Structure formats: C-alpha cells, structure tokens
Amino acid sequence: MSKFNIPIARTSLSDEEISSVLEPLKSGWLVQGPLVEDFQNKWSKFTGSKNSIAVTSCTSALHLSLASLGFKEGDEAIVPAFTWISTANVVEHLGGRVEFCDIDLDTFNIDINKIEEKITHKTKAILPVHLFGLSADMDPILEIAKKYNLWVVEDAACGFGSFYKGKHVGTLGDTGCFSFHPRKAITTGEGGMITTHSDSIASKLRCLRDHGAELSDLQRHLGPRPYLLSNHPEAGYNQRMTDIQAALGSMQMNRADEIIKERKSIAKIYDEEFKNLSFLQIPKESEGYSHGYQSYPCLFMPDEVKENNIDETNSKRNKWMEKLALEGISTRPATHAVHMLEYYSKKYGIKPEDFPNSHAANNCSISFPLFHGLKIDEQSYVIEKVLEFKN
Ligand SMILES: *Cc1c(COP(=O)(O)O)cnc(C)c1O
C-alpha cells in the first residue's frame, strides 16, 4: 500500500451545497424553475455575458448553439483535432462535416496559422476550444471568422475562471459552451451553460432547449393564463437543466472566486517545482491570458518530441503512469486526439500523422492531480514522486 491514494480529480462540495438540493425537492418544482433562473443570473454576472442558458451538458450546449445559428446538413465546421470528442460529435449530429485543424503544442489549443487553409465555401463555423482552462488565441480567430463570415462557437467546457485579455472565455464568440461534469471546476453532476450577448440567439436557444416552446413552464405558470399550453414554433429538443442541479451550481457560484484562486495556487506550486525539469513542459500562461486550470496538462518529453519518436515516448509515458499509479498517484493523458479515434479515422480516412501535433499531444501528454480540496501533503507527495523520474 502506498502512503496516499490521490485521484486525478475529486469532487468536494460543502455541507451547505449538498443540502441545497433539498430545497427544490421540498418545494416540488424540480425542472428548470426559479433555481435555474438564479444560476443563470449568477453565471451572467460572473462571466459578463448578457444571457446565460442552462442546459443538460456542454455537449448539448454545443449542439444547441450550432442548431440555433442555423448550422445544417452539408455545412462544415473547423474543430481542433485535440479536444474532447463531443466538440466534433455535435457537427456530425447535425449532418455536418468536421474539418480538423492541428494544434499548437505549446498551448494544446488550435493553431491559428492553420485555420484559414481549412476554409471552403461550405465552412460555416469555427469551434475554438479553451482546452484545460487556457483560452485559445481569440483575436485572430475572430478576425478570420469576420473575414469569411463564419460563426464562432466557443467550447469553454473547461473555461470557468479563464480570461482572454480581461474577458471571460465564452463571451467572445457568438456563443460560449460550459460543462458542469464532475471533472470541471464547478459541477452539477451533469450540466452545461450557454452564454451569448445576442438576445435573438438567446431566445432561439431557450426555445430549442425546451421542446421548441415559445414560453417556458415557469413563464406560463407565472403568466396570466397558466392553464393554456404554449405555442411551439420549432421542433425543439429537451435539454433542460433540473432545479436540483441548479441549486448545486448556484451555491458553488457563491464561492466562485475562492475556487478559482485555489486552483491557481495549486498550479503555481507545480509550476515552481516543475519549471526546470527537462522531461516536462508545463502549462503556459502568456501575457493577456489568465489560466483557469481545469487541469494541469504537461507534455512529457524525455527526448525532444519528434514525429519519429512519438510512439517510443508514448510507451515511456505509459510505463511512468503505471509506476505513479502503483505509488497511489493518478495521472491521465491530457485528453484524446479525435482524429485518431475509430469513428473519425474510419469515416474520414485520417492517419495519426495527418495532424502531427495532436498526435504528439495524444501520445505524450500527462495531467497531474489538481482539484479543489487537494491537500498540501498530497501535492508534496505528487511532486516528490514526479521529481524521482529517471529517463
Ligand atoms: C468536458 C468537455 C466536454 C463535454 O462536456 P459534457 O458536459 O460532459 O458534455 C466538451 N469539450 C471539452 C473540451 C471538454 O473538456
């Protein structure tokens, strides 16, 4: 048995947060009611977005965003090849074609110099991802989008507490999509939020998440004729958040600053200890960026990462991960390269080396435990074991 057993992430909710879910259970209003309203208001205030629309997950947020903008069968969307699979899946769900774009290995985010060459007359949207809490380089992305008249749907699943030139991520494009999965900084179990400055996109989103209804149940119940059903101008979806989830989310928003501060301070301790290690590239936080540290993704590079040694480095990394696991420390690849997953590699006939940086990130990245409530002695133990690595 090892001294510790440290997971990659651990949910830590206060007693007050846990008991907050009893309120809707006792009131009897369970789905998209006053507590969803409350959570959305706090989200708008915190991010500086004009509108926030709570949904069932970030995946449904991305899906509804594209649907609300009018993305349809045959349209193309540009998606970084290194991201969680759902950024690409939502394009498929709407009958579109995914155009993968390689990433920058320094940031794990979309390589802004490779976007323009992916644009065709069918391209309708760019989906930049603020991976692991670091904003994508949004100014050039917004410039390209303007030049070619493309929508920008930000995948800000990991973006809570992440800022780009002073603005919260998710407020820069047409819409921003957040996740409340337990691996993210704020959790409602499953859950998501869409932010948008546009009132017309917002009302389309509200309609689409609620079976295409003109009025929500709450609006109807509080309105003059609660006994009549709403009109349905759209064939919508059911992507409503429950008030049980919203109670949890809303309570966590009361300590939003504290949660972000703690994640940053854990990351800074790792930075200090790991910055001079030749075998690890630590997360970057350049001028103008404020990292939210959804996780702490590094590039493992006992040798310089080159196309011809990616597989060798991969087996060294996996051996090291196994050793750390035996010592009670959970690590993970930062995420996966979507173009290497079976569905996409088969359907589009793509090879790993077609997107070399995403391939390298898939095979050579490693994330270390970082979560609210990680104890000092736990982090010291992780650091001690990482420093013991020998090539
Ligand atoms: C977590 C994550 C998602 C999916 O979020 P869900 O809420 O689980 O649907 C999408 N994109 C990225 C980049 C993520 O990290």
Side-chain angles (χ1 to χ4, degrees), residues 29 31-35 37 215-223:
W29 192 296
V31 174
Q32 198 184 282
L35 293 168
E37 193 83 17
L215 290 177
S216 72
D217 284 344
L218 188 63
Q219 286 169 320
R220 196 160 57 78
H221 277 264
L222 299 175

Side-chain angles (χ1 to χ4, degrees), residues 27-281:
S27 82
W29 192 296
L30 301 189
V31 174
Q32 198 184 282
L35 293 168
V36 163
E37 193 83 17
D38 192 44
F39 187 24
Q40 292 175 160
N41 290 338
K42 284 182 185 168
W43 197 263
S44 292
K45 187 154 180 254
F46 189 84
T47 58
S49 173
K50 193 158 175 221
N51 302 282
S52 295
I53 296 104
V55 290
T56 52
S57 67
C58 180
T59 306
S60 46
L62 292 162
H63 181 209
L64 285 188
S65 289
L66 286 178
S68 73
L69 291 164
F71 189 90
K72 56 180 192 324
E73 201 175 332
D75 290 346
E76 294 177 3
I78 295 171
V79 173
F82 189 61
T83 178
W84 185 246
I85 190 170
S86 56
T87 326
N89 284 348
V90 295
V91 175
E92 293 284 314
H93 295 161
L94 290 164
R97 185 185 160 80
V98 179
E99 275 304 326
F100 289 109
C101 183
D102 209 359
I103 57 152
D104 180 342
L105 263 188
D106 282 344
T107 61
F108 293 124
N109 280 327
I110 194 164
D111 184 343
I112 49 146
N113 298 312
K114 295 193 178 130
I115 297 175
E116 242 175 316
E117 67 201 52
K118 301 284 167 188
I119 296 173
T120 72
H121 65 283
K122 290 185 180 166
T123 310
K124 293 288 163 59
I126 308 177
L127 279 71
V129 182
H130 309 300
L131 214 50
F132 317 125
L134 179 67
S135 177
D137 190 2
M138 289 303 289
D139 279 347
I141 293 171
L142 294 169
E143 217 168 277
I144 293 168
K146 198 169 170 197
K147 181 169 163 194
Y148 295 93
N149 199 21
L150 308 175
W151 298 307
V152 176
V153 172
E154 297 174 67
D155 181 339
C158 314
F160 179 68
S162 313
F163 294 83
Y164 179 74
K165 301 188 178 171
K167 291 189 177 145
H168 199 285
V169 300
T171 64
L172 299 141
D174 293 289
T175 71
C177 303
F178 295 86
S179 172
F180 304 124
H181 180 273
R183 274 297 303 273
K184 313 298 173 14
I186 286 202
T187 184
T188 60
E190 297 277 9
M193 191 73 83
I194 313 172
T195 43
T196 180
H197 292 309
S198 158
D199 291 337
S200 62
I201 296 171
S203 64
K204 185 98 178 209
L205 286 166
R206 290 186 189 107
C207 172
L208 285 178
R209 86 171 151 183
D210 189 11
H211 302 288
E214 215 163 46
L215 290 177
S216 72
D217 284 344
L218 188 63
Q219 286 169 320
R220 196 160 57 78
H221 277 264
L222 299 175
R225 293 196 292 174
Y227 44 84
L228 292 184
L229 297 180
S230 175
N231 181 32
H232 288 248
E234 304 272 354
Y237 308 87
N238 179 359
Q239 308 282 27
R240 292 173 306 212
M241 178 181 274
T242 66
D243 261 27
I244 307 165
Q245 293 165 304
L248 213 48
S250 186
M251 269 295 179
Q252 286 164 84
M253 287 307 286
N254 296 344
R255 56 175 179 125
D257 289 326
E258 177 206 319
I259 289 172
I260 295 163
K261 205 173 135 206
E262 183 176 342
R263 299 185 88 91
K264 273 183 177 292
S265 77
I266 294 169
K268 293 303 146 196
I269 293 171
Y270 279 142
D271 281 355
E272 223 19 67
E273 298 288 342
F274 295 167
K275 68 182 179 201
N276 296 322
L277 297 178
S278 61
F279 60 91
L280 275 187
Q281 173 192 286

